[in-house]
Amino acid sequence: MPFDTGIFEWLIIFVIALLVLGPERLPKAARTVGRWFGKAKSTMTQFNHQINRELEIEELKKRVAEHEKMIKEQAAGTELEELQRQAEETLKQAEQRADSES
């Protein structure tokens, strides 16, 4: 049961509600309270799902960063590194020419 309440506590709550509200209004009040609990439970479930998704996204970002680092380490000293250096030089030269033409 919610909030770690036992049968005895629920019985006391029911009797007090019956005395305060009366038998005519008690069913409507019970439905209203039930809806509130349902909405609260739904909200908490959605909140938990959102938190879990964000944690999964963070974990995936970490994995991607680790893989990128590993790939860069493996590519160090290979043709890929030389091609990257050449591409950067070509871009610098193109930017210098565009600046000088302006």
Side-chain angles (χ1 to χ4, degrees):
M1 294 197 174
F3 309 113
D4 292 331
T5 55
I7 295 286
F8 184 69
E9 287 89 359
W10 282 109
L11 184 60
I12 290 174
I13 292 170
F14 176 75
V15 169
I16 292 172
L18 184 60
L19 291 174
V20 172
L21 298 174
E24 302 86 29
R25 295 187 298 182
L26 185 61
K28 183 178 178 183
R31 281 191 297 274
T32 302
V33 169
R35 280 192 211 115
W36 287 347
F37 276 115
K39 287 181 181 180
K41 184 178 178 182
S42 174
T43 301
M44 288 303 294
T45 301
Q46 290 175 355
F47 180 72
N48 285 338
H49 287 303
Q50 179 75 21
I51 295 295
N52 287 336
R53 274 183 283 194
E54 289 180 13
L55 290 173
E56 287 174 2
I57 288 171
E58 287 300 318
E59 181 65 29
L60 289 173
K61 286 180 180 179
K62 287 179 184 177
R63 286 184 183 177
V64 167
E66 289 173 3
H67 282 93
E68 285 179 352
K69 181 181 175 184
M70 189 170 47
I71 289 170
K72 286 179 181 178
E73 287 173 356
Q74 289 175 351
T78 64
E79 288 182 27
L80 291 175
E81 191 174 70
E82 178 61 26
L83 289 172
Q84 180 183 3
R85 188 187 60 73
Q86 289 175 0
E88 289 172 355
E89 286 179 16
T90 304
L91 283 173
K92 283 180 186 177
Q93 291 172 358
E95 288 174 353
Q96 289 173 352
R97 276 186 258 145
D99 289 341
S100 64
E101 291 176 3
S102 299

